[in-house]
Amino acid sequence: MHLAEIVRLRLVPTAGLFLALTRRCPLSCAHCSTESLMTSEQYAEEPFRRIVASFTAQCRPHVLYMSGGEPLLRAGLVRDLAETARAAGTRSGVVSGMYFARGGGKLPAALRRAIAAVDHFTASLDEFHEREVSRADVFRALHEIRQIVPAISLQLTGRDPDDPYLADLIASARREFADEVPMLVGVVNAVGRAKRHDPGTPTTPASHAPGGPQPCLLTSWPLVHYDGTVLACCNQELVARTRPAHLVLGDAARDPWPVLRERSLRRHLLRGLRLLGPIELRARFQTSPADGASGGYCGTCVTLGTDAGLDAALDRYLTSATGSALEAAVQRMAEASPAKAFSGRYGSAPHSELVTLGLDRS
Ligand code: SF4
């Protein structure tokens, strides 16, 4: 499963499901968006096992993507979830900070079994990671991993698209893997520990400029948070902290995938966010001032559910001829969009084509 295929599906509602298996991580990267430590919280495995066990051949996401913290701290769980998902026809991926690569040496057997069970392996690398695990160690481990997993990719992050460090990292990865390993390139956002290091960095993508519809595509794949709560979007830091009802889909310990999928596809506010984005939704349909509105793109979004009149007005719009025609057109565009549509908007736009590296050889 090539990175371009995963990224293309990111635009399609409920085509994938994220699992944040643990907040723990052995590394201490200065920019960590989840502020992970080895002492961070880690909850029971059961909610993750239950939701994946509820996939069926008829109703399942196409992709299951496991992250953390460091998901490979739960190597046995990663392996079991990948195997259960595959039995229903869902392919899986895992992203790692590569803690196990530090100092060289072979992959431990438990990690080897977990990685061999997934369809895609992503290594995360940036200036802050490199202070914890060297680039040479990451590349060496990736060469070994390529032998046991069908596809690999790199998730590279810089301070901005023109960051000279980022340019050097991309060039060295392209050389190391002869342009056969695709890359999703992004820029650091001011969340988690990065907030302290660079408080001026925007918390939402630059493409969320004010004015007109700005659909939120991060509502496409639900995310199971560390404690089993299922969130409607992957802005985990904000939504898990604030838990507005319209962005909480349910509980993985209780709600099976078909139920969560229906909620994600049917809930008016989520459909409106995918169509128009939070600021346009409020501008068009607001009936009362939002409680606790803090402004901004996501800051507006988390308060939308406090306006019951907005939900009713949006429902009327979505069932109107204009609203339903627009929703159908946006859905068709999402399904037909190239991989670089997502990486261009949510990553570093000048590097969006790098998600297709190696595609012609896969
Ligand atoms: S706009 Fe809302 S749904 Fe979209 S990323 Fe922000 S908080 Fe999540």
Side-chain angles (χ1 to χ4, degrees):
M1 180 175 54
H2 191 278
L3 175 66
E5 189 181 353
I6 299 174
V7 171
R8 194 185 59 73
L9 287 170
R10 287 292 309 275
L11 300 174
V12 180
T14 70
L17 174 67
F18 289 113
L19 303 181
L21 296 182
T22 176
R23 195 171 152 210
R24 290 186 188 161
C25 180
L27 304 180
S28 310
C29 301
H31 75 312
C32 181
S33 63
T34 53
E35 303 203 53
S36 292
L37 300 167
M38 265 318 266
T39 51
S40 297
E41 66 265 36
Q42 177 168 284
Y43 294 86
E45 295 183 352
E46 203 49 30
F48 302 107
R49 292 186 183 276
R50 284 181 79 102
I51 192 170
V52 176
S54 74
F55 298 172
T56 64
Q58 294 72 36
C59 186
R60 57 173 174 80
H62 294 289
V63 181
L64 177 74
Y65 206 80
M66 294 172 272
S67 68
E70 171 53 65
L72 288 173
L73 288 176
R74 296 184 122 176
L77 181 61
V78 168
R79 185 197 60 220
D80 290 352
L81 295 175
E83 289 173 353
T84 306
R86 181 173 293 142
T90 296
R91 288 173 296 170
S92 65
V94 66
V95 56
S96 172
M98 308 294 287
Y99 72 97
F100 53 83
R102 267 193 296 210
K106 285 265 177 221
L107 266 179
L111 293 192
R112 171 171 276 270
R113 283 195 294 273
I115 293 168
V118 300
D119 298 281
H120 190 100
F121 181 91
T122 301
S124 184
L125 190 57
D126 52 59
E127 175 186 345
F128 307 97
H129 268 105
E130 276 208 59
R131 294 176 200 161
E132 304 278 320
V133 190
S134 74
R135 187 181 306 186
D137 280 345
V138 169
F139 286 174
R140 180 202 48 74
L142 270 180
H143 282 296
E144 188 182 349
I145 288 168
R146 275 183 98 183
Q147 306 306 312
I148 58 170
V149 73
I152 65 169
S153 64
L154 284 157
Q155 183 175 292
L156 308 181
T157 309
R159 291 174 188 261
D160 59 57
D162 301 320
D163 182 350
Y165 164 82
L166 186 61
D168 175 68
L169 178 58
I170 292 169
S172 82
R174 294 186 72 161
R175 265 195 317 275
E176 179 76 23
F177 297 102
D179 270 353
E180 290 178 355
V181 172
M183 305 168 199
L184 183 60
V185 181
V187 294
V188 180
N189 282 328
V191 292
R193 286 200 279 269
K195 226 175 338 196
R196 293 196 287 277
H197 291 269
D198 186 4
T201 312
T203 54
T204 49
S207 56
H208 288 154
Q214 298 279 339
C216 177
L217 308 176
L218 299 185
T219 51
S220 296
W221 292 16
L223 180 146
V224 183
H225 187 57
Y226 314 120
D227 62 1
T229 306
V230 185
L231 309 176
C233 95
C234 55
N235 187 344
Q236 190 178 359
E237 192 261 348
L238 175 67
V239 179
R241 182 163 44 80
T242 55
R243 305 206 175 203
H246 64 292
L247 296 181
V248 175
L249 290 178
D251 185 338
R254 189 187 59 227
D255 302 312
W257 171 252
V259 170
L260 296 161
R261 177 180 179 276
E262 273 305 290
R263 288 179 189 157
S264 176
L265 294 177
R266 302 281 160 250
R267 196 170 280 177
H268 305 141
L269 277 172
L270 298 180
R271 291 164 63 193
L273 286 166
R274 291 182 198 121
L275 203 57
L276 302 168
I279 294 177
E280 185 71 6
L281 271 187
R282 189 175 65 181
R284 285 199 197 187
F285 303 114
Q286 178 174 267
T287 61
S288 63
D291 267 356
S294 62
Y297 192 82
C298 294
T300 299
C301 179
V302 295
T303 64
L304 289 174
T306 62
D307 181 351
L310 185 150
D311 189 72
L314 176 59
D315 182 24
R316 284 194 295 279
Y317 176 71
L318 290 171
T319 48
S320 71
T322 314
S324 50
L326 182 63
E327 192 176 25
V330 168
Q331 173 89 15
R332 280 195 300 276
M333 272 170 59
E335 284 168 7
S337 291
K340 67 176 184 176
F342 183 88
S343 50
R345 174 153 177 200
Y346 289 98
S348 168
H351 302 108
S352 59
E353 293 278 4
L354 296 175
V355 294
T356 62
L357 281 180
L359 187 57
D360 50 350
R361 280 165 263 188
S362 65

